[in-house]
Amino acid sequence: MKKYNFSAGPSTLPEEVLQQAAEAVLNLNNSGTSLIEISHRSKDFIAIMDEARSLVKKLMKLDDNHEVLYLQGGASLQFSMIPYNLLKNKAAYIDSGNFASSAIKEAKKIGSIEVLASSKDDKYTYIPKNFEIPKDVDYLHLTSNNTVYGTELKEFPETDVPLVCDMSSDILSRDIDFNKFGLIYAGAQKNIGPAGVTLVIVNKNLLGKTDRNLPSYLDYQIHIEKESMANTPPVFAVYATLLNLRWLDKQGGVSEIEKKNREKAALLYGEIDRNPLFRGVCVEEDRSLMNACFFLNDEATYKAKFDELVKQANIIGINGYRTVGGYRASIYNAMPLEGVQTLVNVMKELEKIA
Ligand SMILES: *Cc1c(COP(=O)(O)O)cnc(C)c1O
């Protein structure tokens, strides 16, 4: 039996996606060859890449200014690629968590950065709000979901400044107007596929404005021109992502999955708030739909017992991030309601025997 995998990333994928990916590794489309040994210039793979790009456009309702790229180097390489491509004079950043702070650290190596707000003072347990956006910055960098701390941006600023957003852990989980972003990026391994590929969506009108002579791999314009095939793409990761995008499309797309995600989150946070043995980590209004962080009020008494019950219920991956402690249940698109219900039942069971 497949365990309920609540890991933050790499994270759970639908069983049918894993099944199809496994089959393709042995025999792609009944061709008698493996997905991972065919040429990326073959007809089969070009069709895969084309569909993987167009399905993102469809699911996110992107306009023609927005280009979809599949790149390598993880979300982490985007921390540098973004300023290399977009930063001319100055960029603004919001420090809402550890990944936001890594993005700031990398950008500072490249240009002038202004950090408009930070929630570090309270261990990143809330989303910084009410900051003034300078008119003269090249872009504002945001992190829509803070994977480690479990906070999520519910509303995005209305501004003429191009918005750049790290959506690694909540992309395609809720319906937002993706066209209002200048650039969106996401490491696939949280909510859209396996590790090894990074989705980048960029408004092409923002490109070509700096005078930097970039290394080719770091230049978005080259990847656009080469349709994400400037070099050998990670064929397995792109294909598994495509399978997962098809799965999402079949579920009814982003607005349908959002309903399910809201239902799952309400069930789990409801129990965290109701059950006297537990408490949430973050400010209520900023709680993430994707990563629910919580503590046992009395770890010394209950941790061993709770961990045992969790294990018996076939649940894995709920330990909190090492610097936060406690528990973190990541309830991405592919986690079924039944998995969340199983976890909630375990929390109730602990209360009963306490
Ligand atoms: C996981 C994560 C990253 C880092 O992604 P890599 O693909 O491992 O580089 C960056 N930002 C956020 C919000 C993440 O959750």
Side-chain angles (χ1 to χ4, degrees):
M1 179 197 159
K2 189 175 185 286
K3 292 186 174 166
Y4 293 118
N5 180 6
F6 287 88
S7 292
S11 48
T12 192
L13 287 167
E15 196 152 0
E16 65 178 79
V17 167
L18 298 177
Q19 198 75 46
Q20 292 163 358
E23 280 163 20
V25 167
L26 294 172
N27 183 4
L28 176 68
N29 301 338
N30 275 320
S31 62
T33 34
S34 166
L35 163 68
I36 55 174
E37 41 177 47
I38 59 165
S39 165
H40 58 292
R41 307 286 177 203
S42 65
K43 200 164 72 3
D44 279 327
F45 189 75
I46 290 172
I48 289 166
M49 183 60 97
D50 283 349
E51 190 186 345
R53 293 169 72 219
S54 60
L55 210 38
V56 165
K57 282 204 131 180
K58 176 186 170 192
L59 288 164
M60 296 174 82
K61 304 187 178 83
L62 296 173
D63 64 32
D64 288 338
N65 290 321
H66 286 80
E67 298 279 352
V68 178
L69 301 173
Y70 285 94
L71 305 179
Q72 298 188 64
S76 299
L77 183 61
Q78 295 309 307
F79 297 161
S80 316
M81 257 176 102
I82 288 160
Y84 272 137
N85 283 270
L86 304 181
L87 201 161
K88 224 174 143 180
N89 299 312
K90 195 169 68 163
Y93 279 70
I94 304 300
D95 177 25
S96 58
N98 72 322
F99 289 115
S101 124
S102 300
I104 292 166
K105 183 174 149 217
E106 295 305 314
K108 277 184 174 162
K109 298 176 187 172
I110 295 160
S112 169
I113 302 303
E114 191 176 333
V115 179
L116 305 183
S118 172
S119 50
K120 193 172 183 186
D121 57 352
D122 221 348
K123 295 189 188 141
Y124 295 119
T125 50
Y126 68 99
I127 294 283
K129 300 177 193 82
N130 302 324
F131 45 82
E132 196 80 37
I133 305 167
K135 295 257 178 298
D136 62 342
V137 291
D138 299 314
Y139 62 87
L140 169 64
H141 181 282
L142 305 163
T143 309
S144 56
N145 186 68
N146 299 287
T147 324
V148 167
Y149 303 90
T151 60
E152 191 169 27
L153 214 63
K154 307 292 172 186
E155 291 190 17
F156 296 89
E158 288 300 330
T159 170
D160 293 334
V161 169
L163 294 177
V164 170
C165 193
D166 179 354
M167 295 195 187
S168 291
S169 50
D170 71 347
I171 192 159
L172 293 169
S173 69
R174 56 182 169 146
D175 209 3
I176 47 187
D177 178 7
F178 295 105
N179 284 311
K180 71 180 200 183
F181 293 87
L183 190 147
I184 293 166
Y185 64 104
Q189 70 276 15
K190 308 292 176 26
N191 208 25
I192 46 176
V197 73
T198 307
L199 181 64
V200 175
I201 292 140
V202 60
N203 183 336
K204 60 187 173 204
N205 300 328
L206 296 178
L207 300 175
K209 296 188 178 169
T210 73
D211 304 325
R212 284 190 193 91
N213 187 12
L214 291 175
S216 302
Y217 197 87
L218 302 185
D219 189 339
Y220 292 126
Q221 283 182 307
I222 288 185
H223 293 291
I224 292 173
E225 204 179 296
K226 304 283 183 185
E227 305 187 320
S228 297
M229 302 261 227
N231 68 332
T232 316
V235 293
F236 177 79
V238 171
Y239 186 65
T241 299
L242 168 61
L243 295 173
N244 193 48
L245 294 171
R246 282 184 190 155
W247 173 85
L248 177 58
D249 198 29
K250 217 167 63 183
Q251 306 297 303
V254 179
S255 53
E256 283 307 308
I257 208 82
E258 174 174 358
K259 285 183 205 154
K260 292 181 186 155
N261 288 334
R262 290 194 183 280
E263 194 184 345
K264 289 184 292 180
L267 177 62
L268 182 50
Y269 286 118
E271 181 61 16
I272 292 168
D273 292 339
R274 185 208 62 80
N275 191 320
L277 300 185
F278 295 94
R279 70 177 191 280
V281 171
C282 300
V283 169
E284 240 179 276
E285 62 172 14
D286 296 332
R287 282 172 168 178
S288 166
L289 288 181
M290 297 280 100
N291 313 96
C293 295
F294 55 98
F295 292 125
L296 263 171
N297 287 320
D298 179 357
E299 283 209 355
T301 310
Y302 296 116
K303 183 167 168 41
K305 189 68 216 170
F306 183 57
D307 290 351
E308 181 55 34
L309 290 174
V310 161
K311 199 170 152 202
Q312 284 169 9
N314 266 322
I315 289 170
I316 57 166
I318 65 162
N319 280 337
Y321 190 76
R322 58 188 186 277
T323 56
V324 180
Y327 297 94
R328 169 178 54 176
S330 297
I331 48 179
Y332 298 122
N333 288 355
M335 174 57 67
L337 179 65
E338 174 198 73
V340 180
Q341 187 63 60
T342 303
L343 175 58
V344 165
N345 291 347
V346 168
M347 295 165 79
K348 288 186 195 295
E349 177 70 20
L350 184 73
E351 183 191 15
K352 233 183 281 168
I353 60 176

